[in-house]
Amino acid sequence: MKILVTGGAGYIGSHTVAQLCADGYEVAVLDNLYTSCEESIVRLRKITGKDIPLHKADIRVQENVRKVLRDEKIEAIIHFAAYSLVGESMTNPLKYYENNLYGTKQLLEAMIEEKVNKIVFSSTAATYGEPKSIPILETDETNPTNPYGETKLSMEKMFKWTASAHGVRFVSLRYFNACGAHESGTIGEAHNPETHLIPIILQAAAGVRKSISVYGADYPTRDGTCVRDYIHVSDLAKAHVAAVKYLLDGGKSDIFNLGTETGTTVKEVIDAAEKITGKDIKVLYGGRRAGDPAVLTASNKKAREILGWKPEKTMDDIISSAWKWHSKNPYGYKK
Ligand code: UDP
């Protein structure tokens, strides 16, 4: 039984490949390496001891995807391949429509032609936009505030209609704040440019950057800084494997939140990082970042009940695993 992971060289994709291998699945990766690099696959082969095939291909080129599905005898797909920078999506929305939406349409057509009918999809809490109530439930209103979230929501809708017309079953996983790294410290988060809180804090701790700017300390929260639901990437990886298993066992198409139900403020994350790294982190307080809601936390009840998944890692686990990765690889996969 072989699973194709599109975007498997990227951050969450690579951790999911590691988990699939650990759970005994055969895996192939399809990635165009535009925002990731081959080195993550080289390291995955070392961690897992498996010969993970990497197909350097683009989901938009349907013949190539079809060939991979046929040659590898793929049973199900986990689909990560997409652009994912919120800020970039605001300045270049059509880039997001072209890759995320058109790419997914090409992938779905290839699946229909090659009779692959199960897909797990990497979605996001950005599909909800500004929440009306906390914690966020899967049944809450979706009203994205940026093209990134909008394309992910449209992709979910594409899956829904394709499911009813062509019998493709899907699970969409809406992640909250993905963070942390593999326990080995050899694969982890490496975005360029880096915009996420925890890598930036740890780069400041490692001396790669001078300081961290906190975007707003006047929110109506316990210490004035934003509250987010930080979920360890290894917990996310386990949820993807649980979702594949659910589809292989005949589960029906559905959408699940993936979060911890625990909110942590920006200041609390910085305090945890100072405690674990033993470094003083220089903090500058600045204005709010446009589009940041004060509080975002998930209800994960549905994933617990239907997928039998629950997050296991704490904030300390997140920081210590990410610190292991960042201190060994201060410039990501670059040598
Ligand atoms: N944040 C911050 N400084 C930074 C990056 C992020 O204060 O340099 C804050 C941001 O305002 C948000 C939280 O940290 O409240 C998490 O932001 P991130 O970009 O990591 O994820 P998001 O919640 O936007 O998906």
Side-chain angles (χ1 to χ4, degrees):
M1 163 114 36
K2 202 174 248 187
I3 313 294
L4 180 69
V5 182
T6 74
Y11 173 43
I12 307 173
S14 59
H15 289 77
T16 300
V17 171
Q19 191 63 47
L20 285 164
C21 292
D23 290 350
Y25 290 89
E26 293 282 300
V27 185
V29 169
L30 185 149
D31 201 304
N32 63 11
L33 303 176
Y34 285 7
T35 56
S36 58
C37 61
E38 194 165 350
E39 177 63 17
S40 64
I41 301 291
V42 172
R43 294 186 186 190
L44 272 170
R45 291 184 186 128
K46 280 195 193 133
I47 299 169
T48 63
K50 300 260 173 79
D51 169 36
I52 301 160
L54 168 64
H55 298 273
K56 292 180 204 168
D58 194 299
I59 51 169
R60 288 166 287 195
V61 185
Q62 214 180 97
E63 311 84 80
N64 295 350
V65 178
R66 286 187 62 175
K67 185 168 179 344
V68 173
L69 295 179
R70 267 197 314 273
D71 292 353
E72 297 279 8
K73 299 190 174 53
I74 295 298
E75 182 87 12
I77 297 178
I78 306 183
H79 178 35
F80 293 97
Y83 290 135
S84 63
L85 299 175
V86 170
E88 183 188 56
S89 80
M90 295 292 279
T91 52
N92 198 353
L94 298 180
K95 175 174 175 181
Y96 280 67
Y97 278 83
E98 216 272 323
N99 189 33
N100 297 4
L101 270 182
Y102 174 69
T104 299
K105 173 249 168 203
Q106 292 291 84
L107 177 68
L108 276 166
E109 277 179 359
M111 288 174 68
I112 293 162
E113 292 298 327
E114 299 301 330
K115 304 195 172 21
V116 178
N117 64 0
K118 294 172 270 302
I119 184 162
V120 175
F121 170 57
S122 155
S123 188
T124 167
T127 52
Y128 293 109
E130 184 86 41
K132 294 219 171 80
S133 59
I134 292 291
I136 299 175
L137 293 162
E138 290 83 349
T139 46
D140 285 355
E141 192 181 309
T142 47
N143 195 9
T145 52
N146 54 65
Y148 164 65
E150 196 76 71
T151 56
K152 287 274 173 168
L153 183 60
S154 303
M155 289 152 90
E156 287 188 351
K157 291 186 175 164
M158 208 190 297
F159 287 119
K160 184 183 88 172
W161 295 116
T162 309
S164 66
H166 299 284
V168 172
R169 283 179 296 124
F170 73 95
V171 164
S172 179
L173 300 174
R174 292 178 176 166
Y175 327 141
F176 282 63
N177 289 64
C179 46
H182 193 264
E183 58 190 8
S184 64
T186 54
I187 57 169
E189 193 168 7
H191 298 113
N192 189 16
E194 189 51 76
T195 61
H196 293 109
L197 180 69
I198 292 177
I200 287 178
I201 291 174
L202 296 179
Q203 285 174 351
V208 173
R209 60 173 83 217
K210 287 199 176 73
S211 58
I212 148 99
S213 299
V214 173
Y215 299 146
D218 58 349
Y219 283 96
T221 60
R222 51 186 174 269
D223 61 22
T225 62
C226 286
V227 170
R228 292 289 179 272
D229 187 336
Y230 295 93
I231 172 101
H232 197 293
V233 67
S234 298
D235 280 330
L236 290 181
K238 285 184 182 159
H240 288 77
V241 180
V244 162
K245 188 169 180 313
Y246 164 85
L247 287 176
L248 291 169
D249 290 345
K252 68 177 178 57
S253 297
D254 215 336
I255 295 175
F256 301 93
N257 285 342
L258 297 181
T260 62
E261 302 195 334
T262 307
T264 309
T265 69
V266 174
K267 271 189 187 161
E268 287 163 353
V269 177
I270 295 170
D271 289 347
E274 286 195 319
K275 182 187 82 182
I276 286 166
T277 62
K279 308 270 183 194
D280 282 330
I281 296 167
K282 187 169 179 209
V283 181
L284 306 173
Y285 287 91
R288 294 184 178 192
R289 183 171 68 177
D292 267 344
V295 180
L296 287 176
T297 60
S299 163
N300 62 21
K301 186 166 180 278
K302 188 173 169 188
R304 280 188 278 121
E305 287 179 359
I306 298 179
L307 297 178
W309 167 87
K310 65 174 191 334
E312 283 158 9
K313 307 277 193 185
T314 62
M315 179 51 74
D316 282 4
D317 297 329
I318 287 170
I319 302 284
S320 46
S321 62
W323 181 234
K324 195 171 173 186
W325 156 254
H326 283 287
S327 40
K328 279 189 183 176
N329 305 274
Y331 300 97
Y333 289 104
K334 288 197 197 110
K335 294 260 160 40

Coordinates of all heavy atoms in Angstrom, one line a residue, residues 177 195-197 215-216 219 228 286-293:
N177 N -1.7 26.7 14.8 CA -0.3 27.2 14.5 C 0.7 26.0 14.6 O 1.0 25.5 15.7 CB 0.1 28.2 15.6 CG -0.6 29.5 15.3 OD1 -1.9 29.6 15.3 ND2 0.1 30.6 14.9
T195 N 8.5 34.1 8.8 CA 7.5 35.0 9.3 C 6.9 34.5 10.6 O 6.2 35.2 11.3 CB 6.4 35.3 8.3 OG1 5.7 34.1 8.1 CG2 6.9 35.9 7.0
H196 N 7.1 33.2 10.9 CA 6.4 32.6 12.1 C 7.1 32.9 13.4 O 8.4 33.0 13.5 CB 6.3 31.1 11.8 CG 5.3 30.9 10.7 ND1 5.8 30.4 9.5 CD2 4.0 31.1 10.6 CE1 4.7 30.3 8.7 NE2 3.6 30.7 9.3
L197 N 6.3 33.0 14.4 CA 6.8 33.4 15.7 C 7.9 32.6 16.3 O 8.9 33.1 16.7 CB 5.6 33.5 16.7 CG 5.9 33.9 18.1 CD1 6.3 35.4 18.1 CD2 4.8 33.7 19.1
Y215 N 4.1 41.9 17.8 CA 3.1 42.7 17.1 C 1.9 43.0 17.9 O 0.9 42.3 17.8 CB 2.7 42.0 15.8 CG 3.9 41.7 14.9 CD1 3.8 40.5 14.1 CD2 4.9 42.6 14.7 CE1 4.9 40.2 13.2 CE2 5.9 42.3 13.8 CZ 5.9 41.1 13.0 OH 6.9 40.8 12.1
G216 N 2.1 44.0 18.8 CA 0.9 44.5 19.6 C 0.9 43.9 21.0 O 0.9 42.7 21.1
Y219 N -3.8 44.0 23.1 CA -5.0 43.2 22.8 C -5.8 42.9 24.1 O -5.2 42.8 25.2 CB -4.6 41.9 22.1 CG -4.2 42.0 20.7 CD1 -2.9 42.2 20.3 CD2 -5.2 41.9 19.7 CE1 -2.5 42.3 19.0 CE2 -4.8 42.0 18.3 CZ -3.5 42.2 18.0 OH -3.1 42.3 16.7
R228 N -2.6 32.2 20.6 CA -2.7 31.3 19.5 C -2.7 29.8 20.1 O -2.2 29.6 21.2 CB -1.6 31.4 18.5 CG -1.6 32.7 17.7 CD -2.7 32.7 16.7 NE -2.8 34.0 16.0 CZ -3.5 35.1 16.4 NH1 -4.1 35.1 17.5 NH2 -3.5 36.2 15.6
G286 N 6.1 46.4 19.2 CA 5.7 47.2 18.1 C 4.2 47.2 18.0 O 3.4 46.7 18.9
G287 N 3.7 47.8 16.9 CA 2.2 47.9 16.7 C 1.7 46.6 16.2 O 2.4 45.6 15.9
R288 N 0.4 46.5 16.1 CA -0.3 45.3 15.7 C 0.0 45.0 14.2 O 0.2 46.0 13.4 CB -1.8 45.5 15.8 CG -2.3 45.6 17.3 CD -3.8 45.7 17.3 NE -4.3 45.8 18.7 CZ -5.6 45.6 19.0 NH1 -6.5 45.4 18.0 NH2 -6.0 45.7 20.2
R289 N 0.0 43.8 13.9 CA 0.1 43.4 12.5 C -1.3 43.3 11.9 O -2.2 42.7 12.5 CB 0.8 42.0 12.4 CG 1.0 41.5 11.0 CD 1.9 40.2 11.0 NE 1.2 39.0 11.6 CZ 1.7 37.8 11.7 NH1 3.0 37.6 11.2 NH2 1.0 36.8 12.2
A290 N -1.5 43.9 10.7 CA -2.9 43.9 10.1 C -3.4 42.5 10.0 O -2.7 41.6 9.6 CB -2.8 44.5 8.7
G291 N -4.7 42.3 10.3 CA -5.4 41.1 10.1 C -5.2 40.0 11.2 O -5.7 38.9 11.1
D292 N -4.5 40.4 12.3 CA -4.3 39.4 13.4 C -5.4 39.4 14.4 O -5.6 40.4 15.1 CB -3.0 39.7 14.2 CG -1.8 39.0 13.7 OD1 -1.9 38.0 12.9 OD2 -0.6 39.4 14.0
P293 N -6.3 38.4 14.5 CA -7.3 38.4 15.5 C -6.6 38.2 16.9 O -5.5 37.7 17.0 CB -8.1 37.1 15.2 CG -7.7 36.7 13.8 CD -6.3 37.2 13.6

